[in-house]
Amino acid sequence: MTAFLSGTAAGSLVGAVTGGGEGTPGVVDVISGPRALITVAAYIAVAVVATGILVRSRDVN
């Protein structure tokens, strides 16, 4: 279940890019770099779409 959470994905993405660190808090290598990138991108896409829907329904109409 933790592989789908944004914090785990973000930490794994940082670990994949920087090579991680033994004592670095939040940087883990639970999931692979490509999967972490896809998960983080999906969270960003959902947030952008949800924001657009909320702004349109509340402020534009």
Side-chain angles (χ1 to χ4, degrees), residues 7-58:
T8 304
S12 295
L13 183 59
V14 169
V17 171
T18 63
E22 284 302 316
T24 309
V27 176
V28 293
D29 57 353
V30 176
I31 55 179
S32 67
R35 172 135 180 217
L37 178 63
I38 290 169
T39 304
V40 170
Y43 269 97
I44 291 171
V46 167
V48 167
V49 169
T51 300
I53 290 170
L54 287 173
V55 167
R56 181 159 171 77
S57 68
R58 292 180 56 121

